[in-house]
Amino acid sequence: MWFWIFGACWVICILYQCAIYYYGHRLVNTHTDPESPYTLKNKSLPEPVSVIVCAHNEKENLMRLLPRLYAQNFKRFEIVIVNDRSTDGTIDFLLEEQNQHPNLKVVWVRSRPQHIKGKKYALTLGIRAASHDKLLLTDADCLPDTNDWIRGMSATLDSAALDMLDHTANTLKNEEKTFALGYSPYEKQRGLLNAFIRYETLHTAALYFSAALAGKPYMGVGRNLAYRKSFFMQKKGFHRYLSVMGGDDDLFVNEHATSSNVAISMDTRTQVHSKPKTSLKEYYRQKKRHLGVGKYYKEFDKKWLGAFSFSHILFWMGFIVLILAGTEPYFVISGLLTRGFMQFLFLKTAGRKLNDPINLALLPILDFLYVIYYIVLGISAVSSNNTRWS
């Protein structure tokens, strides 16, 4: 039985990886002339942008982030900081910053309705307070890689920015978009945990970028995400999942993103780096919250993502069982090597396009750890909804 399970899962894994590799190659090289992607054809003044950051006891991170935002190479933007019940000196710091920077707006959250979980209440208040229709979201512990972050992500919502992308992709028709999906890698540090965090982040990005290019967008990350205030208000924001701890980013995208209203940016100038967790306990809590929202995805997305994850788990289980049993070892090892080679190709390609290469020598170890990640966090996330945001 395990022989046939192993073979079937091998076929499924190869097909998935071929699809990811194919759609990943539908993007042309994004390392183009610095001006061309962000220069509007009609040379008109770019539409203003509201950058929204929710902060709960994030004074130290805001001290790093705000100077990067002030220095952005964009003429018309405001920064909306939502101070969500901070007790670490954030209030005094933001009051001083407001006096010095007229484009900084602070929204104060002193209490939160009990039925609204996570940061959705704070984010909704920030969106309501935003002066502009274009919204660009990130987290307090993130840092834009360049001073072109706002300019690039803003332009991705406009048709002019799509000239640098493959015009054959269904998701990138030459029209104004509602969503712009960006990439937010984690800082490179020493240790196996950091290597796995960066592997998981790149793997996830390869999936959601490829799905968007295939015309089936299913998620985005709130660390680097843009959409329109008018659309948010029209759809009544997060009203369908207020009791879910997460969902302010990926569930909102999953519910409303279509093949025609989503654009993606793989340009490295539109990336923001995030600070990774440094302990397994912190990482577990973070990913439990994130994975817990997957059960609220659309049925189609749950099925194809579930098949991808389940085949991954059964493949490794089948490999271990068949090797220990001594059943067709050459076939089993060949299956592992061919699957590993395909995974090597698509992760190497994704890392090169996103300028975020991972240690491919650790790929077999990281891939096996991903199975444990699926099992432990998947069961925990599905069975619990009582997590907090930080």
Side-chain angles (χ1 to χ4, degrees):
M1 180 185 70
W2 277 106
F3 180 83
W4 295 109
I5 291 176
F6 177 81
C9 290
W10 179 85
V11 172
I12 294 172
C13 289
I14 292 296
L15 289 176
Y16 269 98
Q17 289 173 3
C18 286
I20 295 169
Y21 189 69
Y22 168 73
Y23 283 109
H25 268 75
R26 295 185 70 175
L27 276 179
V28 298
N29 187 359
T30 57
H31 298 285
T32 52
D33 186 312
E35 293 300 322
S36 59
Y38 310 134
T39 303
L40 298 179
K41 290 179 178 178
N42 58 11
K43 306 297 183 181
S44 61
L45 191 64
E47 189 178 346
V49 175
S50 293
V51 179
I52 300 179
V53 181
C54 294
H56 174 69
N57 290 336
E58 298 277 10
K59 178 183 175 182
E60 297 299 321
N61 286 327
L62 288 174
M63 291 176 68
R64 297 170 64 232
L65 173 62
L66 285 177
R68 292 284 188 95
L69 296 182
Y70 298 146
Q72 287 292 299
N73 185 19
F74 197 76
K75 292 184 178 180
R76 304 168 65 199
F77 73 96
E78 67 173 358
I79 304 167
V80 181
I81 303 295
V82 186
N83 179 44
D84 191 358
R85 300 160 295 150
S86 297
T87 58
D88 65 341
T90 298
I91 295 176
D92 293 335
F93 168 71
L94 289 177
L95 288 173
E96 293 180 6
E97 291 293 303
Q98 263 191 309
N99 292 332
Q100 301 176 32
H101 300 276
N103 64 334
L104 175 63
K105 179 185 295 184
V106 180
V107 177
W108 309 99
V109 180
R110 294 177 174 83
S111 62
R112 185 190 71 193
Q114 291 298 314
H115 70 286
I116 302 180
K117 303 297 183 181
K119 65 178 181 180
K120 286 186 285 295
Y121 181 70
L123 183 54
T124 299
L125 292 183
I127 291 174
R128 288 181 177 275
S131 303
H132 310 306
D133 191 48
K134 277 188 176 180
L135 307 176
L136 181 53
L137 279 57
T138 191
D139 289 343
D141 62 348
C142 297
L143 288 177
D145 283 5
T146 72
N147 291 341
D148 285 326
W149 173 60
I150 295 178
R151 189 161 63 125
M153 287 299 291
S154 170
T156 303
L157 285 175
D158 298 324
S159 60
L162 303 180
D163 290 341
M164 68 175 176
L165 301 175
D166 187 350
H167 67 277
T168 63
N170 292 333
T171 53
L172 303 178
K173 296 175 183 177
N174 193 30
E175 60 187 34
E176 186 179 86
K177 303 298 175 180
T178 301
F179 294 96
L181 312 182
Y183 182 52
S184 179
Y186 283 99
E187 297 173 359
K188 185 177 181 179
Q189 298 176 0
R190 298 179 62 183
L192 184 60
L193 176 61
N194 181 259
F196 180 79
I197 289 173
R198 295 180 61 243
Y199 164 82
E200 188 275 332
T201 302
L202 181 63
H203 193 281
T204 300
L207 283 177
Y208 73 75
F209 278 145
S210 297
L213 288 167
K216 299 292 182 181
Y218 72 94
M219 68 163 283
V221 292
R223 303 190 305 275
N224 196 3
L225 176 66
Y227 50 83
R228 295 186 174 274
K229 177 179 178 178
S230 55
F231 183 85
F232 179 87
M233 302 302 292
Q234 176 190 349
K235 299 298 181 181
K236 299 180 181 179
F238 312 121
H239 76 287
R240 292 188 60 182
Y241 33 89
L242 292 176
S243 61
V244 181
M245 183 59 61
D248 50 277
D249 43 22
D250 49 350
L251 281 186
F252 187 66
V253 174
N254 186 264
E255 181 179 9
H256 299 297
T258 68
S259 61
S260 61
N261 71 358
V262 172
I264 69 173
S265 177
M266 295 180 72
D267 194 301
T268 56
R269 290 164 294 184
T270 64
Q271 293 182 3
V272 293
H273 266 78
S274 304
K275 295 172 63 177
K277 300 300 182 183
T278 56
S279 74
L280 191 59
K281 182 179 179 180
E282 290 177 335
Y283 181 65
Y284 172 82
R285 192 181 74 188
Q286 179 192 47
K287 297 310 294 184
K288 180 181 176 182
R289 182 179 71 246
H290 292 170
L291 290 179
V293 304
K295 59 186 175 183
Y296 301 102
Y297 280 0
K298 295 175 183 175
E299 284 301 317
F300 174 81
D301 296 321
K302 286 193 292 186
K303 287 177 180 178
W304 79 262
L305 288 168
F308 180 78
S309 303
F310 199 51
S311 65
H312 188 178
I313 294 171
L314 287 181
F315 176 86
W316 273 101
M317 290 178 64
F319 173 80
I320 294 172
V321 170
L322 292 175
I323 286 295
L324 292 177
T327 306
E328 300 287 347
Y330 294 110
F331 171 79
V332 174
I333 294 174
S334 297
L336 179 68
L337 292 176
T338 53
R339 179 185 175 276
F341 178 71
M342 285 301 302
Q343 189 177 43
F344 173 88
L345 281 181
F346 95 76
L347 285 177
K348 182 179 180 180
T349 301
R352 176 174 55 83
K353 287 182 177 290
L354 294 168
N355 194 30
D356 186 29
I358 61 171
N359 188 347
L360 295 172
L362 293 175
L363 187 56
I365 298 174
L366 298 175
D367 188 59
F368 180 74
L369 290 176
Y370 209 30
V371 172
I372 300 174
Y373 166 89
Y374 275 142
I375 295 173
V376 175
L377 274 169
I379 294 175
S380 178
V382 170
S383 62
S384 174
N385 192 36
N386 186 25
T387 54
R388 61 179 179 174
W389 84 279
S390 58

